[in-house]
């Protein structure tokens, strides 16, 4: 009763104060079990994201109690006389306002507010040991998925580096980490989805059922529907991880070793995770994820013969169980013998599998304690073709960046055959391509090279360099300001992408924060 009163009050406020053009009678009869909120704290939170560079204030925020709540709200927006934007928001880790909407409605898929209001969680994870999958709510955080599956000794196969992201959020992009060379991105490890389309329909989709929606939604940037359930593939969870870092001074040697390692996908004798990062700043190697290196024995770039003042770190892991712990030293030694790193630069640590997967959260807690987490994050993520990665290194790592940066720079290769071309994600047209992720934080500390404007300009310089050099790099977590730029981004996939948009979200009301399509007006109020 209290929930219905709050809903009615919220709708009346919307109608009176902001002229909401949804049919009042229809909204009042929605019968959602969750809460439609006008609370300034809710609205403010939904107006911002992790990027910290943009803001957009919605009219209201829905905390759904079920997929039907999501469907009812979307259907009402779809049938309204005027196009009302609807955006699904997970843990708020978009970087360019992708989950925002101005004068629209935000559906808060993740978070604890519902429980504080006395609402039940929309859906608890359901694990199938027999068929090795887990069904999860679209707003579930990956850390909670992991906790649920570990109760059965199972875990998802593919990850992101940071686990406090929503399932629906990462599947709307791709979801990548160091396991992608072997298992593919997270979108390659999904059996089935429940999706609320832009018409308010709730559809189950898979490779066999509603396949066009299934492939469109995976990597579809939220343009075709809101994921309310995902069926995720599982594997037996390892108990422990041997985590290794080795350094390189020569870029060609570094990339050759990385490419060799990912060529071993599917083999028994291989590393289970392959990433890397670029070190252009003397202090970065000891400060970023500093718990890995010993502060009593700091690594000095100046003590190594680096290539153009830059070092490269290969990061690899080998998973193991208690039953084969006695052979892990021998296995790792055998694998390392095939690599050409700087001999004296091997750093290793052993830790529980969960601790390794959750490693970035520990760094987050340290940054939060220093008030360095909630700052602008002008990130730039690119997929760079293997054939041009050396040119990128010379022009960006040894050129544009100079010897200063303000955050980690990841670089690691992936196998294109682990990505399904039917999905909406765009990758370079080569068998191997690299992720290059400049994960910088802007600080207001008087250092010009760490200021938001400086870093944003640097990002533009990097994109301009790629364009002028003819490097066919593709943005991951893409952000563009014109539709022509989006058309160029999708290339030969654009026709299929726009066709799917017209089929599943004909009024262009979903994920308007991406800026790909403009909501359409329907003055007559007739159905489309």
């Amino acid at each position: 009763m209290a929930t219905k009163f709050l809903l009615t009050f919220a709708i009346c406020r919307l109608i009176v104060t902001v002229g909401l053009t949804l049919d009042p009678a229809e909204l009042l009869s929605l019968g959602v079990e969750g809460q439609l909120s006008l609370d300034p704290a809710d609205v403010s939170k939904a107006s911002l994201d992790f990027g910290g560079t943009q803001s957009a204030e919605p009219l209201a925020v829905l905390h759904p109690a079920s997929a039907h709540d999501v469907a009812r709200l979307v259907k009402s927006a779809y049938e309204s006389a005027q196009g009302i934007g609807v955006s699904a928001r997970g843990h708020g880790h978009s970087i360019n306002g992708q989950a925002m909407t101005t004068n629209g409605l935000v559906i808060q898929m993740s978070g604890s507010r519902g429980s504080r209001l006395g609402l039940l969680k929309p859906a608890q994870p359901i694990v199938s040991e027999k068929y090795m999958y887990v069904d999860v709510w679209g707003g579930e955080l990956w850390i909670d998925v992991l906790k649920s599956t570990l109760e059965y000794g199972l875990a998802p196969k593919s990850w992101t580096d940071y686990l406090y992201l929503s399932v629906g959020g990462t599947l709307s992009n791709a979801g990548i980490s160091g396991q992608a060379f072997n298992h593919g991105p997270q979108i390659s490890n999904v059996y089935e989805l429940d999706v609320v389309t832009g018409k308010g329909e709730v559809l189950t989709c898979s490779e066999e059922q509603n396949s066009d929606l299934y492939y469109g939604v995976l990597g579809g940037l939220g343009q075709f529907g809101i994921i309310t359930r995902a069926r995720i593939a599982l594997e037996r969870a390892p108990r422990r991880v041997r985590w290794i870092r080795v350094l390189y001074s020569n870029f060609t040697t570094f990339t050759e070793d990385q490419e060799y390692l990912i060529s071993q996908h599917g083999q028994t004798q291989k590393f289970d995770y392959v990433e890397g990062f670029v070190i252009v700043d003397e202090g970065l190697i000891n400060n970023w994820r500093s718990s890995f290196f010993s502060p009593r024995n700091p690594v000095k770039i100046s003590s190594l013969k680096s290539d153009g003042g830059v070092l490269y770190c290969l990061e690899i892991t080998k998973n193991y169980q208690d039953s084969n712990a006695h052979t892990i030293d021998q296995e790792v030694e055998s694998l390392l013998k095939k690599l050409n790193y700087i001999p004296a630069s091997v750093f290793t640590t052993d830790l529980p599998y969960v601790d390794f997967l959750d490693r970035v959260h520990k760094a987050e807690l340290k940054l939060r304690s220093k008030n360095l987490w909630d700052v602008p994050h002008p990130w730039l993520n690119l997929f760079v073709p293997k054939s041009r990665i050396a040119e990128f290194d010379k022009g960006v790592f040894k050129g544009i960046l100079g010897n200063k940066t303000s955050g980690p720079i990841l670089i690691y290769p992936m196998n294109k055959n682990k990505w399904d071309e039917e999905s909406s994600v765009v990758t370079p047209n080569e068998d191997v391509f690299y992720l290059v992720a400049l994960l910088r934080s802007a600080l207001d500390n008087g250092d010009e090279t760490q200021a938001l404007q400086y870093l944003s300009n640097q990002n533009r310089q990097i994109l301009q360099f790629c364009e002028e050099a003819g490097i066919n790099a593709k943005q991951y977590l893409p952000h563009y300001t014109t539709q022509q730029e989006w058309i160029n981004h999708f290339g030969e996939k654009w026709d299929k992408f726009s066709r799917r948009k017209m089929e599943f979200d004909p009024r262009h009301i979903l994920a308007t924060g991406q800026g790909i399509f403009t909501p359409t007006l329907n003055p007559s109020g007739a159905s489309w």
Side-chain angles (χ1 to χ4, degrees), residues 135-355:
D135 281 327
V136 297
W137 169 248
E140 197 79 46
L141 301 186
W142 283 101
I143 182 66
D144 296 320
V145 176
L146 177 62
K147 290 175 181 176
S148 297
T149 59
L150 283 176
E151 293 180 9
Y152 300 85
L154 303 173
K157 299 177 180 181
S158 190
W159 292 98
T160 57
D161 285 343
Y162 182 60
L163 302 189
Y164 288 75
L165 303 173
S166 70
V167 169
T170 66
L171 295 183
S172 295
N173 289 283
I176 53 176
S177 185
Q179 305 88 3
F181 82 94
N182 191 44
H183 294 295
Q186 290 181 318
I187 59 172
S188 295
N189 295 274
V190 180
Y191 294 140
E192 190 176 270
L193 300 169
D194 283 348
V195 175
V196 175
T197 71
K199 294 183 279 189
E201 302 168 318
V202 183
L203 298 177
T204 298
C205 56
S206 65
E207 290 182 2
E208 294 80 26
Q209 180 182 6
N210 295 313
S211 60
D212 207 32
L213 178 62
Y214 171 78
Y215 287 119
V217 165
L218 294 175
L221 307 177
Q223 291 300 308
F224 313 115
I226 297 170
I227 297 171
T228 57
R229 178 184 64 90
R231 179 167 289 179
I232 309 296
L234 302 177
E235 65 178 356
R236 293 293 167 194
R239 292 275 300 193
R240 295 187 64 79
V241 171
R242 173 69 54 87
W243 186 10
I244 305 155
R245 285 180 176 170
V246 294
L247 298 178
Y248 294 76
S249 60
N250 182 276
F251 185 71
T252 300
T253 305
F254 170 67
T255 54
E256 285 177 349
D257 277 2
Q258 281 195 319
E259 289 163 19
Y260 164 74
L261 290 173
I262 72 164
S263 74
Q264 303 302 297
H265 66 92
Q267 302 294 318
T268 302
Q269 295 302 314
K270 68 177 187 313
F271 285 110
D272 297 294
Y273 160 102
V274 177
E275 285 199 11
F277 57 92
V278 182
I279 306 158
V280 299
D281 187 333
E282 179 92 9
L284 182 61
I285 192 170
N286 298 302
N287 290 334
W288 179 53
R289 297 181 183 171
S290 57
S291 59
F292 188 92
F293 297 104
S294 170
R296 296 183 299 275
N297 184 29
V299 180
K300 292 288 188 181
I301 293 179
S302 55
S303 67
L304 301 166
K305 294 182 179 179
S306 59
D307 184 3
V310 179
L311 285 175
Y312 310 92
C313 181
L314 172 65
E315 185 173 50
I316 44 185
T317 69
K318 184 66 179 173
N319 301 335
Y320 63 97
Q321 306 287 1
D322 293 338
S323 59
N324 67 326
H326 63 287
T327 64
I328 188 67
D329 290 344
Q330 182 179 346
E331 290 181 49
V332 168
E333 183 179 354
S334 175
L335 290 168
L336 286 176
K337 281 182 178 178
K338 300 173 183 177
L339 306 179
N340 298 294
Y341 52 86
I342 298 171
S345 69
V346 182
F347 299 85
T348 67
T349 186
D350 282 61
L351 70 171
Y353 184 59
V354 177
D355 290 356

Side-chain angles (χ1 to χ4, degrees), residues 15 41 87 99 122 149 153 189 207 255 265 307 344 415 442 455 466 476 493:
I15 295 167
S87 289
T149 59
N189 295 274
E207 290 182 2
T255 54
H265 66 92
D307 184 3
N415 296 305
L455 296 174
C466 290
Y476 177 58
K493 284 193 173 185

